[in-house]
């Protein structure tokens, strides 16, 4: 990345934009233009430290890097004044640097970046930036030196397994699709990212779209496809925009289109935007959706590798899976296979969120323990509260409790806990999270997203949701837990696709590890985490109440009475437990139990 | 996603006619066509479904089936501002429900509906991808993070006074 000029790079991922990157950019532009400062302003994707956004990096011509965190328009002015004009970096605001001890250097020390190798480094809208970092070299190597069978063999030997959730060996999938006799084949990238608490694929698409295009093109060469599709989630407009730019640039440079790089291989990519249905992440539903139909899964076999899009053999791979490909080709399958554990090779990207101090996008070698991820990288629990569980795999996954925090991150160990590796959502929960409520949350999601084809998935999840709802509302009955378990087993067995087969997992894992919480709700009508509204009682602490009347004014049902400057009281019969008084009170005078 | 300025106006088929021309002869166009329709009109009007049916030879009943299957498609016009509250996992454990309740109480509108003055439509969505700022909501293209009830009311008041 040698440039003659000093470069100022702003983190322009969704997280950065949400935190105010635009305002920071405007300010920067204004000062630079006004004072005619000789720097190049550029942008990049998610750097990973979402908890410190807005991030601004100063890159010196000699390669030194200083990343500033929590940047505001005011701070930008100071950074320019001190760092740019007077060559004095402001150490206390630096979060990462190769020169000084950045406050977040530790966030990166246990990470290993293969998929995210360019995220936060390059301008995602510049193909030159990508090429400068060995972009499209793997494609060139593949087309000039390797047969499709060689490519498949390399990927197989690397041990790469699908990152979309199921963990199927990628090399094998390619082999099966290649072996299908039909000459018309399709290569599809699954960028539907349905897990509602995860944003890995989005960050890769936003931060390094060319790596996905390159992987997709190599895959197409390997299986023998001449048309590719990227199925992107509707809610990802920025990812779509950057993909479109990247596709156009690749065409201009001859990395896509007819006779790529002078070979006899031709390939083109189309973007299909999803329309907001979780089930469309499932491969057969995704195919139906691309064909323009309702996204209903169908029975497999035949697998898409034999009969997929418009009846032709189709290979579907996840974004992260594809982003690994170019790296493996360039660095060698053996190098890749050395990373990780015996059966889980390479790295995994996670979206670390929830009650964690340092939420963001991370990539770690397989085999690292959950403890290392949560405490060493994530910095522990927000407010130094007690860690309770970590949810992995979203609606198909489960909650792993504190007692299993030393579980290594690999496919088999995670499956043993009842959770799954999943696509990379990792939501951390603390003592204030109610596990029954979490189970209800996920079931509410899958119940609403069930396509309705299988009776057990459609009706069974609804019945389970009803039971969970009544438990959280204090109407739980003896035997409800057993009923949930029975329904769960039946739904798992009699559903056609992965949605129904895994939907009960969040309920089953929470029952397994937090049965006492279920029992507290059912028997004692108490929510230990103080989350389930109907099980709470709100009272005013007389010693703390100043009689300011704020709570009484805010109460939507006039349940609070009291004279000015006198202690107020809540009428328990009228109280609807909305918690409004707690937010209005400035003196912490409302007790919730 | 855009703000429908066509709220309660008569259906104008011309923009859709233009779009249909671009899709002549392509396969699997139904969903992209519906997406374009919604971009143009802010929702999928019944008249548009009939036009698309004629163009694609897909029966209206089947088009309606597709429209109602996918969460993205709306059958009702949207208000001037579209509020999307995230109900993803991270936001849920960080208090998304309280945020939604605050909006519901303040604007007197249920998720999926539009306020009587046509100013706001409230929707809940799964993960806006800014989980580290949870709980999060978007109003039109602007994202607001680390919300609580007070902050929500303050933001909504600003939008109200702008109009
Ligand atoms: C209900 C359901 C939702 C899914 N959602 C996704 C998704 O959002 N993204 C994804 O890559 N795979 C998803 N999958 C897995 C895909 O069916 C498929 O296994 C995957 O895309 C294959 O790619 P891979 O081998 O590279 O992992 C989902 C599966 C099910 C059953
Ligand atoms: S869960 Fe709300 S932004 Fe991800």
């Amino acid at each position: 990345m040698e440039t003659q000029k000093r470069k100022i790079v702003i983190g322009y991922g969704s997280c950065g934009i949400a935190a105010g990157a635009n305002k920071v950019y405007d300010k920067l532009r204004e000062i630079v233009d006004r004072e005619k400062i000789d720097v190049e302003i550029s942008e990049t994707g998610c750097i990973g430290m979402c908890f410190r956004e807005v991030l601004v990096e100063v890159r010196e011509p000699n390669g030194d890097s200083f990343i500033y965190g929590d940047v505001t328009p005011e701070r930008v002015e100071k950074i320019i004044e001190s760092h740019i004009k007077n060559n004095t970096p402001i150490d206390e605001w630096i979060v990462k640097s190769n020169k000084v001890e950045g406050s977040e250097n530790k966030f990166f020390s246990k990470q290993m970046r293969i998929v995210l190798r360019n995220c936060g480094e390059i301008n995602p809208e510049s193909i030159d930036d990508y090429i400068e970092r060995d972009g499209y070299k793997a494609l060139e190597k593949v087309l000039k030196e390797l047969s499709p069978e060689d490519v498949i063999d390399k990927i197989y030997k690397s041990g790469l397994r699908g990152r979309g959730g199921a963990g199927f060996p990628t090399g094998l999938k390619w082999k099966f699709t290649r072996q299908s006799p039909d000459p018309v084949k399709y290569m599809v990238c699954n960028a539907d990212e349905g897990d509602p608490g995860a944003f890995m694929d989005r960050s890769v698409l936003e931060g390094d779209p060319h790596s996905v295009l390159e992987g997709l093109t190599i895959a197409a060469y390997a299986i023998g496809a001449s048309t590719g599709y990227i199925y992107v989630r509707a809610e990802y407009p920025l990812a779509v925009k950057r993909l479109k730019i990247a596709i156009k640039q690749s065409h201009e440079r001859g990395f896509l289109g007819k006779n790529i790089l002078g070979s006899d291989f031709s390939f083109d990519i189309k973007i299909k935007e999803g329309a907001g249905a979780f089930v469309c992440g499932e491969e057969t539903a995704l195919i139906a959706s691309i064909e323009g139909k309702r996204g209903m899964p169908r029975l497999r076999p035949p697998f898409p590798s034999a009969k997929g899009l418009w009846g032709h053999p189709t290979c579907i791979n996840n974004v992260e899976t594809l982003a690994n490909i170019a790296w493996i080709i360039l660095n060698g399958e053996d190098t890749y296979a050395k990373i990780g554990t015996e059966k889980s090779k390479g790295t995994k990207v996670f979206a670390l969120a929830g009650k964690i101090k340092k939420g963001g996008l991370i990539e770690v070698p397989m085999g690292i323990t959950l403890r290392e991820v949560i405490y060493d990288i994530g910095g522990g629990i927000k407010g130094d509260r007690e860690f309770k569980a970590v949810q992995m795999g979203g609606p198909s996954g489960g909650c792993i409790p504190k007692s299993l925090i030393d579980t290594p991150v690999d496919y088999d160990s995670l499956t043993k806990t009842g959770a799954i590796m999943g696509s990379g959502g990792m939501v951390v929960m603390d003592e204030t999270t109610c596990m029954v409520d979490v189970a209800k949350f996920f079931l509410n999601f899958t119940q609403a997203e069930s396509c309705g084809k299988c009776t057990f998935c459609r009706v069974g999840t609804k019945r389970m949701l009803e039971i969970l709802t009544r438990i959280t509302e204090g109407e739980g009955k003896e035997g409800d837990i057993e009923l949930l378990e029975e329904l769960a087993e039946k739904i798992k067995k009699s559903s056609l696709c992965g949605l129904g087969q895994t939907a009960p997992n969040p309920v089953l894992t929470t029952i397994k590890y937090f049965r006492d919480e279920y029992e507290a709700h059912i028997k004692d009508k108490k929510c230990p985490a103080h989350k389930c509204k109907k099980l709470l009682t709100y009272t005013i602490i007389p010693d703390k109440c100043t009689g300011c009347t704020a709570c009484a004014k805010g109460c939507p049902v006039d349940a609070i009475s009291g004279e000015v400057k006198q202690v107020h009281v809540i009428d328990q019969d009228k109280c609807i437990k909305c918690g409004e008084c707690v937010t209005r009170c400035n003196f912490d005078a409302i007790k919730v139990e | 996603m855009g703000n429908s300025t066509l709220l309660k106006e008569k259906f104008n088929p011309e923009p859709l006619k233009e779009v249909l021309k671009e899709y002549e002869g392509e396969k699997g166009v139904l969903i992209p066509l519906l997406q374009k329709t919604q971009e143009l009109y802010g929702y999928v009007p019944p008249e548009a479904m009939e036009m698309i049916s004629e163009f694609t030879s897909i029966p209206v009943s089947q088009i309606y089936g597709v429209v109602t299957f996918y969460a993205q498609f709306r059958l009702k016009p949207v208000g001037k501002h579209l509020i999307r509250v995230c109900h993803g996992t991270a936001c849920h454990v960080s208090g998304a429900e309280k945020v939604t309740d605050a909006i519901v109480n303040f604007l007197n509108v249920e998720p999926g509906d539009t306020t009587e003055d046509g100013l706001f439509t409230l929707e809940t969505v799964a993960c806006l991808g800014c989980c580290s700022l949870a709980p999060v909501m978007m109003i039109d293209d602007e994202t607001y993070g680390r919300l609580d009830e007070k902050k929500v009311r303050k933001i909504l008041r600003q939008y109200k006074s702008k109009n």
Side-chain angles (χ1 to χ4, degrees), chain B residues 5-48:
Chain B
T5 47
L6 294 150
L7 191 64
K8 289 186 191 134
E9 276 177 26
K10 210 174 149 276
F11 179 74
N12 171 9
E14 293 311 318
L16 185 55
K17 272 189 196 157
E18 287 304 308
V19 167
L20 290 179
K21 277 188 208 149
E22 291 167 34
Y23 285 86
E24 207 77 57
E26 268 191 60
K27 295 201 266 194
V29 295
L30 179 56
I31 293 171
L33 274 178
L34 290 168
Q35 284 166 332
K36 284 273 179 198
T37 305
Q38 183 150 305
E39 238 172 70
L40 288 172
Y41 302 97
Y43 71 113
V44 184
E47 295 90 340

Side-chain angles (χ1 to χ4, degrees), chain A residues 18 50 196 199 202 233 272-276 280 289 291-295 353 355 437 441-442 533 580 583-584 586, chain B residues 27-28 30-31 35 65 69-72 87-90 92-93 101 126-129 131-133 143 149-150 153:
Chain A
C50 307
F199 51 94
R202 165 194 205 134
R233 198 166 161 231
K272 283 275 177 183
E273 284 180 59
C280 287
S289 182
E291 291 173 350
K293 302 183 197 139
R294 286 166 73 104
K355 305 288 181 71
D437 176 69
F441 165 76
F442 281 113
K533 265 197 227 163
E580 190 66 26
T583 75
R584 302 268 172 159
N586 290 317
Chain B
K27 295 201 266 194
L30 179 56
I31 293 171
Q35 284 166 332
F69 183 86
Y70 293 100
Q72 187 189 21
H87 274 233
T89 319
H92 178 80
V93 300
D101 286 349
C127 196
L128 292 167
C131 313
S132 51
L133 301 173
T143 310
E149 290 100 322
K150 280 181 195 161
R153 283 194 289 263

